[in-house]
């Protein structure tokens, strides 16, 4: 068959054929814009693949994509983001999801078992994709040219295993147990380094540990590519011509020409479609053209002149090509250049993106749409050549010409890019002169290993030679990009200045001045001065070692298997399991963890859509205060698939415009006549699919009018000026402590009216807000809601619809992460779905897209604090006064609890006397709500900021001031009246001492000081911080029912959010029922099931919040079990006399036959003397700050946290680690920003960066302290969900310590005025992002150093 016949055959082919988990799918015609994720979730039973961000930025949608290469006769496997991959683009491919690995009915895969056994799944929403990411790495490692691994292991290295999940986000675990799961498959793993798990016991030998791991056999693997597909890997062409696959350049040109000459149908050229993750394109395309089958576009050609890479080659394949040894031998310099380009490209995006995104696609969006591309900058530096066709015209351009030409139009197609071979020029040099080619690439990014845009990237290529006078720059190429300019640019003036110069401090100083003038971000770019300083820092890092060899700074993330074995180098967990209340106290596996790993756990959006189900999406206001005149679409007809628009006008007679409800007040569901904040829901689009609903909502136009309305109140200052406050109920307002005036009069020193500002934080639960509403008979409504408070969801829906509460039923099985964001904020989601379902008499569901979720979430309360503090010369603080303005947003929500929680954590130090004035400010912004550690994390930072300021003022060590102001038991009782407990319960002083010992704190302080003297460009800091967290128990219901077969069903008011509530409840049930003391109770744990929350089955469920719901639920369950044991005890005695030995099953059977009530319920209301108690903990963190970039690397964190007697040490350990890492996000990286109208602008993974596996502590040690008996606690246990988050302030404090050292050094170079003590008086913002840190270390630090070192005649 010749090429023309092949083309004709391809054109006739109109069937899309692919496989999912071995099942064949054939589709004759589909909407070409359909993504693989949409198909999997709506048209198959495989729901393990999740939608979280929809941008390719979180990894929750990862699947393994396998395709067959008929030429090489081999299968290529790689994970991809199914939320971006178009369904038509997987023709002939096979997809594997976590369900394809195994399941609980047949056999779970070792990955599933180990994920569960290493306690690596909490909410579980991200777990299926974590499993697939690891599986992908295992599959690809099988063919590695390495020795066979030991039995049970793979060919993966520890580094590869950990890097398998670099692109996957998790908000719950803190990553450490997931990393352990991955490492457990690595051939070079140190088994002793793996953390707590449910496979082996302490003291087991290495051999025993290995034998107890679920066995992995690489040769007994899943078939990722079924045989029946091998003949199906053909180009796809739909008869409708909506999807075409040309096989030649000529065919492509013909398709483009026909379109241009025809009706002007919009064409989309497709390779990986990954750009849609960044550019949210709402345009409708009439034709998609798949470029991947054109040979010229997919080539990789290598010769002595360089490497040519086709435009459709995936980035991951390009990386392999640049690294591989080839028969065409290149000079060592050229190979080094290619290797470094590959290393840098591996930090672009994530593995899932790189496997599907093409090199050409990345370059085209850089050229056409000004995408801040790393690859473009590198290719510019090495003078790559680009091939382009426009119609019949074929052009070859330098990369600089390519970037400088007008944006490519639809007629122009990028064919390939060629990277030339570089070697040193010896022209005009003597044979004795040593020449060398230097090449380096750089990027400054919040995440070192990619998956985040850079603030600036750069690539430098220099030809140098040695001379008697020093190092001569023969020529040099300097490219900078991503700094707020349309394209990457060469710094020509700098190049010209350096060429022919012998390097010296003075020459370099003149060069960096020119760089600063050349790298100037465009107006409106964030952090412009920082970006310019990065350019200076990178040039310094490149050239300074040639002048001053001691200035070499190595990249800690430049990994290789020998030099650095992994991301998380080590971790140690210390727990004290207890058998006193067995199985309570045992570190058993989290209930449902294996189901979460295998994709069998069902979340709200996994419930199959009922017949005729519709989907909804919110239309948001873009104005903070305006009349809403109309909501409409551009065209008169409704957009594709849209059925209706629901607004406040559709609320039925007798119903209310209510979206959420707390004891403090309500929030409307929709804006009525006036919008109250930018982002407020104005209406609800209902459509036949979620995509159509989202697109319809985005296309809606709102007509506004501001006539007669004053300016909105957007800041706490404006609210204060206009006395616009919410009232805090008198019983919620905390009491002042001591006599402030007296304390200030005793002070030797005073700091007056110092200001601190704290921003917000977004929850970033992996599962966004979601609900499914189904109309039922007799005007009833059944609603499935992902909520932390189904009870209030129930009430809101009934009030909104104007129906009795008994007509509403709200069901919540599990929640894919909450952190407080699914308390009040889940209510309007369910209410809108129910309202639409009520009006249209059809089921309506919504899965809120990430942008919409971030617009309405509200997040943590921002605040402004003004403080005055008095203290003695010995460091003892005598008085503190606070004026606190809290931004509550537009409605009161749960804001009245924040003053009390703030003071609960602030009082961790003995302030002598404490007075305060706290205002809840009402502003025209989204309502803020209680995020994990509400007010407490803010107060913890505030306390440490004050301590740091006192220490700096007195020129004393911060740790000394902390210790000086720790409570005695007497002062603790004074500040925490009624909550301090017994003297022996105050464990904080002993925790601080123990932590100093176990973390080698004093020794590491000395080592840090030595390090800082030796390294100019990296500074370390270390800090030890205590916390006290005041916990309050809430009333909660429970019911325990024993069935005929002896199995037990348990209902509790608490919701399983991933915090292990069900697991602890199961353990408590098994323990409390075992007190019947009969045979068979040792297996009771396996007989217990906790069932989903149902608001008509168990009323008064309350909120699952404040860390204490697990223990409250356990307390309530214990009461129920005690009732049941009381009922069963007489039967047991009776049977014992008759039979002697009595089993559990005997007793239950007899109880049923004698009509004993085997269901017990309670509503547990805590006693006033036991409802409040204190949690204690401490952390030591050590960081390293890069002065050139502002990057903070967390080297080590050690935590000791008092859990009382832990109900489940493994669960509590997971809560401690996860909370700590979430706290790192608040203190170091997460910016939840708004524009001048108060509209949130960080609305996705591109702009909002939570911690990733490469930003957590490299060494992460946690001890769960068992502090003994606490009479008033539930089996002596204490909460663990929120308090450890506060310990992350230790990272911020350590960063401040490192910055302090940098500033001292800067002052010695003449970069700061004043004394040493004055240089340490500074405020470090929250979050301490790279620009913030760099600014404090000195945006001009390089210039000052070079000036300091240069001689007067040095720049000639």
């Amino acid at each position: 068959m010749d090429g023309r016949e092949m083309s004709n055959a391809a054109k006739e082919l109109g069937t899309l054929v692919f496989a999912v988990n071995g099942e064949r799918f054939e589709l004759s015609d589909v909407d070409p814009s359909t993504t693989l994720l949409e198909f999997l979730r709506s048209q198959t039973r495989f729901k393990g693949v999740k939608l979280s961000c929809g941008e390719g930025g979180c990894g929750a949608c990862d699947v393994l994509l396998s395709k067959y290469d008929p030429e090489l006769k081999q299968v290529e496997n790689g994970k991809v983001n199914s939320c971006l991959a178009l369904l038509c683009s997987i023709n002939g491919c096979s997809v594997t999801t976590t369900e394809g690995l195994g399941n609980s009915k047949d056999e779970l895969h070792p990955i599933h078992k180990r994920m569960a056994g290493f306690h690596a799944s909490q909410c579980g929403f991200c777990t299926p994709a974590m499993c697939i990411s690891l599986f992908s790495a295992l599959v690809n490692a099988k063919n590695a040219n390495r020795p066979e691994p030991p039995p049970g292991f793979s060919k993966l290295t520890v580094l590869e295993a950990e890097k398998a999940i670099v692109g996957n986000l998790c908000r719950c675990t803190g990553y450490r147990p997931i990393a352990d799961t991955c490492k457990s498959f690595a051939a070079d793993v140190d088994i002793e380094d793996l953390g707590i798990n449910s496979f082996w016991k302490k003291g087991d030998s290495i051999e025993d540990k290995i034998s107890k791991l679920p066995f992995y056999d690489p040769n007994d693997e899943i078939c990722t590519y079924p045989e029946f597909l091998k003949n199906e890997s053909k180009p796809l062409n739909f008869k409708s011509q909506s999807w075409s696959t040309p096989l030649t350049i000529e065919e492509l040109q013909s398709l483009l020409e026909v379109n241009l000459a025809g009706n002007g149908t919009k064409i989309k050229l497709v390779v990986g479609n990954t750009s849609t993750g960044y550019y949210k394109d709402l345009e409708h395309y009439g034709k998609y053209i798949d470029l991947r089958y054109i040979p010229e576009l997919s080539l990789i050609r290598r010769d002595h002149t360089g490497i040519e890479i086709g435009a459709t080659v995936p980035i991951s394949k390009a990386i392999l090509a640049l690294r591989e040894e080839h028969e065409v031998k290149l000079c060592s310099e050229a190979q080094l250049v290619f290797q470094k380009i590959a290393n840098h490209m591996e930090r672009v995006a994530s593995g899932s993106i790189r496997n599907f995104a093409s090199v050409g696609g990345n370059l085209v969006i850089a050229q056409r749409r000004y995408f801040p591309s790393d690859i473009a900058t590198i290719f510019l530096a090495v003078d790559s050549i680009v091939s382009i066709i426009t119609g019949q015209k074929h052009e070859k351009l330098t990369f600089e010409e390519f970037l400088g030409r007008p944006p490519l139009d639809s007629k122009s197609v990028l064919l390939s890019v060629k990277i030339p071979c570089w070697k040193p020029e010896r022209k005009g040099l003597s044979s004795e002169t040593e020449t060398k080619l230097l090449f380096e690439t750089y990027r400054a990014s919040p995440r070192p290993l990619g998956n985040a845009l850079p603030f600036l990237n750069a690539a430098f290529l220099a030809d140098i030679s040695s001379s008697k006078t020093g190092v001569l720059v023969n020529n040099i190429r300097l490219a900078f990009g991503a700094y707020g300019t349309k394209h990457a640019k060469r710094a020509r003036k700098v190049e010209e200045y350096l060429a022919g110069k012998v390097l010296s401090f003075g020459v370099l100083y003149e060069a960096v001045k020119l760089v600063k003038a050349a790298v100037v971000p465009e107006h409106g770019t964030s952090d412009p001065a920082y970006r310019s300083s990065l350019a200076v820092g990178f040039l310094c890092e490149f050239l300074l070692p040639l002048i001053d060899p001691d200035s070499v700074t190595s990249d800690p993330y430049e990994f290789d298997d020998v030099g650095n074995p992994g991301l998380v180098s080590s971790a140690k967990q210390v727990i004290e399991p207890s058998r006193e209340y067995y199985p309570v106290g045992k570190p058993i596996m989290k209930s449902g963890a294996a189901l979460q790993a295998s994709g069998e756990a069902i979340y709200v959006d996994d419930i199959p859509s009922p017949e005729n189900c519709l989907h909804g999406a919110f239309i948001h206001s873009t104005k903070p205060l305006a009349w809403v005149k109309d909501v409409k679409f551009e065209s008169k007809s409704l957009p594709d698939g849209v059925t209706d628009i629901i607004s406040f006008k559709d609320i039925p007679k007798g119903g209310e415009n209510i979206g959420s409800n707390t004891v403090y007040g309500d929030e409307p569901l929709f804006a009525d006549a006036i919008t109250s904040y930018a982002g407020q829901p104005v209406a609800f689009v209902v459509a036949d699919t979620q995509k159509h609903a989202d697109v319809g909502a985005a296309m809606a136009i709102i007509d506004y009018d501001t006539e007669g309305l004053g300016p909105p109140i957007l800041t706490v200052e404006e609210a204060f000026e206009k006395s616009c406050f919410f009232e805090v109920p008198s019983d919620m307002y905390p009491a002042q402590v001591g006599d402030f005036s007296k304390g200030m009069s005793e002070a030797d020193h005073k700091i007056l009216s110092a200001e601190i500002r704290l921003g917000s934080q977004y929850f970033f639960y992996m599962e966004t807000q979601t609900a499914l509403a189904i109309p039922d008979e007799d005007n009833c409504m059944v609603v499935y809601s992902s909520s932390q408070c189904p009870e209030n969801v129930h009430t809101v829906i009934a009030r909104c619809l104007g129906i009795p509460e008994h007509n509403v039923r709200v069901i919540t099985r599990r929640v894919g992460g909450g952190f407080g964001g699914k308390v009040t904020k889940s209510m309007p989601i369910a209410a809108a779905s129910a309202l639409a379902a009520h009006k249209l008499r059809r089921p309506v569901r919504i899965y809120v897209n990430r942008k919409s979720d971030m617009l309405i979430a509200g997040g943590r309360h921002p605040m402004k604090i003004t403080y005055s503090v008095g203290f003695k010369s010995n460091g003892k603080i005598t008085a503190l006064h606070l004026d606190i303005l809290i931004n509550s947003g537009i409605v009161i929500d749960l804001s009245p609890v924040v003053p009390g929680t703030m003071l609960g954590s602030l009082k961790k130090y003995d302030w002598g006397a404490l007075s305060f004035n706290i205002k809840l400010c009402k502003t025209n912004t989204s309502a803020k709500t209680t995020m994990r550690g509400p007010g407490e994390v803010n107060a913890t930072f505030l306390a440490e900021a004050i301590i740091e300021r006192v220490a700096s003022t007195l020129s004393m060590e911060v740790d000394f001031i902390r210790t000086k102001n720790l409570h005695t038991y007497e002062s603790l009782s004074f500040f925490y009246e009624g909550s301090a407990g017994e003297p022996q319960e105050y464990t904080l002083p002993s925790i601080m001492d123990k932590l100093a010992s176990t973390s080698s704190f004093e020794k590491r302080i000395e080592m840090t000081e030595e390090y800082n003297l030796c390294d100019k460009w990296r500074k370390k800091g270390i800090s030890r911080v205590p916390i006290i967290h005041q916990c309050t128990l809430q009333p909660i219901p429970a019911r325990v029912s024993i069935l005929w077969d002896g199995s037990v069903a348990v209902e509790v008011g608490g919701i399983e959010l991933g915090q292990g509530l069900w697991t602890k409840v199961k353990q408590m049930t098994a323990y409390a029922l075992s007190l019947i003391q009969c045979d068979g109770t040792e297996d009771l744990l396996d007989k217990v099931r906790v069932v989903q929350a149902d608001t008509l089955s168990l009323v008064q469920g309350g909120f699952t919040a404040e860390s204490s719901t697990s223990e409250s639920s356990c307390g309530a369950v214990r009461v129920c079990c005690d009732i049941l044991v009381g009922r069963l005890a007489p039967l047991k005695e009776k049977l014992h006399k008759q039979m002697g030995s009595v089993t559990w099953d005997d007793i239950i059977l007899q109880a049923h036959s004698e009509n004993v009530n085997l269901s017990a319920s309670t509503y547990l209301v805590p006693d006033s003397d036991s409802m409040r108690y204190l949690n204690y903990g401490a952390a030591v963190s050590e960081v390293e700050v890069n002065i050139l970039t502002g990057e903070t690397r967390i080297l080590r964190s050690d935590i000791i946290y008092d859990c009382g007697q832990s109900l489940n040490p493994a669960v509590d350990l997971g809560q401690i680690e996860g909370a700590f890492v979430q706290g790192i996000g608040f203190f170091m990286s997460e910016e939840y920003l708004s524009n001048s109208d108060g509209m949130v602008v960080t609305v996705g993974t591109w702009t909002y960066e939570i911690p990733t596996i490469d930003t957590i502590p490299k060494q992460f040690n946690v001890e769960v302290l068992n502090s003994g008996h606490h009479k008033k606690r539930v089996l002596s246990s204490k909460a663990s969900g929120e308090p450890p988050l506060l310990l992350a302030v230790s990272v911020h404090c350590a960063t401040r310590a490192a910055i302090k050292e940098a500033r001292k050094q800067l002052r010695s170079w003449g970069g700061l005025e004043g004394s040493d003590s004055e240089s340490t008086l500074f405020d470090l913002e929250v979050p301490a992002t790279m620009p913030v840190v760099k600014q404090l270390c000195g945006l001009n630090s390089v210039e000052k150093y070079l000036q300091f070192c240069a001689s007067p005649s040095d720049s000639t």
Side-chain angles (χ1 to χ4, degrees), residues 486 610 650 679 814 846 1005:
K486 288 186 174 66
D650 295 293
R814 61 172 58 81
I846 179 173
I1005 288 174

Side-chain angles (χ1 to χ4, degrees), residues 13 17 67-70 91-93 225 228-236 293:
L13 182 67
V17 182
K67 50 191 172 183
Y68 183 67
D69 187 328
N91 186 48
C93 297
Y225 195 88
F228 63 75
L229 274 182
K230 287 189 177 176
N231 294 320
E232 303 288 357
S233 185
K234 300 171 184 175
L236 177 68
Y293 286 80

Side-chain angles (χ1 to χ4, degrees), residues 242-262:
S242 61
W243 185 279
S244 299
T245 307
L247 302 182
T248 65
I249 293 286
E250 292 73 25
E251 281 188 30
L252 172 60
Q253 290 172 323
S254 176
L255 285 169
L256 293 173
E257 286 168 7
V258 166
N259 182 71
L260 289 168

